[in-house]
Amino acid sequence: MEEAEKKEAQKKGLALHWQILIGIGLGIVAGILLCKIAPYEEWSPYIKWAGDIFLRGLRMIVIPVVFTSIALGVAGMGNTAALGRIAGKTLLYYLVTTAIAAAIGLTLVNLVKPGVGANLNLAEKVSTVGKGEMSFIDQIVNIVPSNIFESLAKGDLLPIIFFAIIFGFFMNKVEKRHADTLTHLFQTIYEVVMKITMFIIRLAPIGVFAIVANTVGKQAGNPQALLSMAGSLGVFVLVVWGGLLIQGGIVLPTLVRVIGKQNPWRHMAKMSTTLLTAFSTCSSGAALPINIRDSQEKCGISNKIASFVLPLGSTINMNGTALYECVTAIFIAQAYGIDLTLAQQIMIIFTALLAAIGTAGIPMAGMVMLTIVLSAVGLPLEGIGLVLAVEQLCDMPRTCINTYGDCCGAVIIAHSEGEKLTI
Ligand code: ASP
């Protein structure tokens, strides 16, 4: 633990990540008990609001953090070569780790075969699932915003990141006094927004308690979901969790150890507030401001790297989502008794990769993008109804691994740039 944090913890009692863990634990207990006392619909409005305020608070600061930190980070790189080098390494790391995650998912689901013999009658109607179809070319074209204010208003992170990179890059091309004014301005906004982040994070235990109680209550009050968990859906969830554990407990820590030359467990402990926030909110976007703060303050990663690698990662680097999409697509094929050829399975890895890149860092986005993977190999879209009941159970850990992948990326790239880290 950092000195400053230790002092703060001594002053205020328990460290924040413990408080969040207690919030999660109490949330589970409260969700179950409240369901025994009253129907979920009756009590949930009295609890849910606290989680909503916490989530909205985090989302409120995402865009100012992303814009100012990326513009400052890119401007701070100084020259095109540094920007190109860091961007190249970042994209390579993201692509390779996401592909590994997808391959782990594919292998496990083929070995365990959770979908074989699944009860198709338990499938829920999928009217709530929108279509996430967008061609690869469209995805690329849409990275360039036609109206940056529209992107800002809609919270479309990828176009905002693109504009911030361009803006930061050209900040270096104007007269020094103008560049200095902008740097000073962005630095000031960034500092203020980070102070707001710290304030919001203090509310995390209460917010997380409310979110978890509400989620558990929703599941506990849905007997059909519980019933279906007893069968193949339960095995499906275990396969997803197992795959995510391999990615988050073996693959990524090994990369941190071997390429990043850092102790992965100490790193994980330092990032625990970020990871618990991702886990309980199901939103890597919401965990981003905390991730940027802790990667810099606790791990000693420079602003230049953290503010480039992490926002980009929270938008395009989704290890957990890619793994989930592979497992789910094959699970659905198994449930419907459809035999997939090797070429189709490779196609699933490829589309899962693209779908994961296009997935927004918000709850359930990965499930919506699943439509792309299913359409690519001609699997029935209604198959999504099979896994709807356990979406929350899969979204929580996959978001955590999505975010952890970003944290590890920042460490590895910072080390490769010769930074001295404090992990
Ligand atoms: N909830 C995930 C995230 O925010 C995205 C997904 O649904 O897969 O990272």
Side-chain angles (χ1 to χ4, degrees):
M1 213 193 286
E2 295 301 290
E3 271 314 303
E5 208 196 319
K6 256 189 204 156
K7 270 191 210 137
E8 199 182 317
Q10 276 162 5
K11 215 170 40 192
K12 296 193 177 139
L14 220 48
L16 190 60
H17 52 271
W18 288 115
Q19 293 182 26
I20 297 180
L21 266 178
I22 291 172
I24 293 178
L26 289 180
I28 295 175
V29 175
I32 295 172
L33 287 184
L34 284 170
C35 269
K36 299 231 180 289
I37 297 168
Y40 164 75
E41 290 74 19
E42 268 176 32
W43 58 262
S44 94
Y46 296 100
I47 297 246
K48 196 169 167 285
W49 64 271
D52 287 346
I53 289 183
F54 171 62
L55 266 179
R56 292 176 75 100
L58 283 175
R59 293 208 188 109
M60 165 180 88
I61 49 177
V62 165
I63 291 177
V65 169
V66 166
F67 188 82
T68 52
S69 69
I70 292 192
L72 282 171
V74 171
M77 284 181 200
N79 59 50
T80 322
L83 175 62
R85 192 180 62 240
I86 294 173
K89 283 185 206 172
T90 307
L91 293 180
L92 181 71
Y93 165 84
Y94 285 163
L95 220 63
V96 171
T97 49
T98 312
I100 295 175
I104 291 175
L106 198 82
T107 312
L108 275 188
V109 73
N110 274 306
L111 285 177
V112 182
K113 299 195 189 342
V116 175
N119 185 353
L120 292 177
N121 293 330
L122 289 177
E124 286 182 34
K125 288 265 171 298
V126 284
S127 53
T128 48
V129 178
K131 290 232 171 111
E133 280 169 51
M134 197 198 266
S135 80
F136 179 58
I137 308 261
D138 282 347
Q139 281 198 43
I140 301 283
V141 169
N142 282 337
I143 293 176
V144 183
S146 58
N147 177 347
I148 185 61
F149 294 101
E150 189 190 347
S151 306
L152 289 168
K154 289 207 311 217
D156 278 345
L157 275 186
L158 221 44
I160 297 172
I161 290 175
F162 178 83
F163 184 72
I165 292 176
I166 299 277
F167 200 93
F169 181 77
F170 282 100
M171 266 169 70
N172 275 334
K173 307 279 174 211
V174 297
E175 250 179 69
K176 188 168 176 312
R177 64 197 169 102
H178 296 315
D180 287 348
T181 310
L182 280 176
T183 306
H184 186 67
L185 175 71
F186 286 172
Q187 191 68 47
T188 310
I189 297 176
Y190 179 75
E191 300 285 335
V192 173
V193 179
M194 275 299 164
K195 283 268 180 273
I196 301 177
T197 308
M198 307 270 277
F199 170 71
I200 295 171
I201 298 173
R202 295 231 59 82
L203 305 176
I206 299 171
V208 161
F209 164 78
I211 293 170
V212 173
N214 190 59
T215 308
V216 170
K218 208 179 196 171
Q219 300 276 333
N222 179 357
Q224 196 203 12
L226 290 180
L227 185 76
S228 56
M229 279 295 290
S232 46
L233 215 46
V235 184
F236 163 78
V237 173
L238 286 181
V239 170
V240 171
W241 277 73
L244 292 172
L245 263 178
I246 296 177
Q247 180 75 2
I250 300 175
V251 177
L252 294 172
T254 306
L255 294 178
V256 169
R257 166 97 273 164
V258 175
I259 309 180
K261 303 272 185 276
Q262 307 296 323
N263 180 326
W265 314 119
R266 268 213 304 272
H267 169 237
M268 214 182 263
K270 290 197 176 216
M271 299 312 291
S272 53
T273 306
T274 304
L275 298 177
L276 287 172
T277 305
F279 181 83
S280 46
T281 60
C282 291
S283 170
S284 31
L288 175 63
I290 310 177
N291 197 353
I292 296 180
R293 185 201 73 154
D294 286 354
S295 290
Q296 289 184 60
E297 288 187 8
K298 295 187 181 170
C299 304
I301 297 169
S302 70
N303 174 275
K304 184 177 83 177
I305 303 281
S307 59
F308 181 80
V309 175
L310 296 174
L312 196 63
S314 78
T315 337
I316 66 167
N317 181 41
M318 304 261 176
N319 288 188
T321 302
L323 187 147
Y324 167 82
E325 312 238 308
C326 279
V327 173
T328 314
I330 309 274
F331 173 76
I332 291 171
Q334 291 169 349
Y336 281 86
I338 302 169
D339 262 338
L340 294 174
T341 60
L342 184 66
Q344 277 175 312
Q345 301 229 7
I346 292 173
M347 183 71 178
I348 287 182
I349 293 206
F350 186 66
T351 42
L353 217 85
L354 292 183
I357 292 173
T359 302
I362 53 172
M364 287 176 80
M367 203 184 63
V368 175
M369 294 303 271
L370 193 59
T371 51
I372 297 183
V373 185
L374 296 179
S375 325
V377 283
L379 289 171
L381 292 188
E382 314 83 72
I384 294 182
L386 271 176
V387 292
L388 215 53
V390 290
E391 166 56 9
Q392 188 80 29
L393 274 178
C394 296
D395 200 2
M396 293 172 107
R398 75 171 184 254
T399 307
C400 185
I401 298 301
N402 286 345
T403 301
Y404 181 53
D406 303 340
C407 303
C408 296
V411 168
I412 288 169
I413 288 153
H415 174 78
S416 75
E417 287 291 306
E419 290 188 2
K420 274 227 97 19
L421 304 182
T422 55
I423 293 171

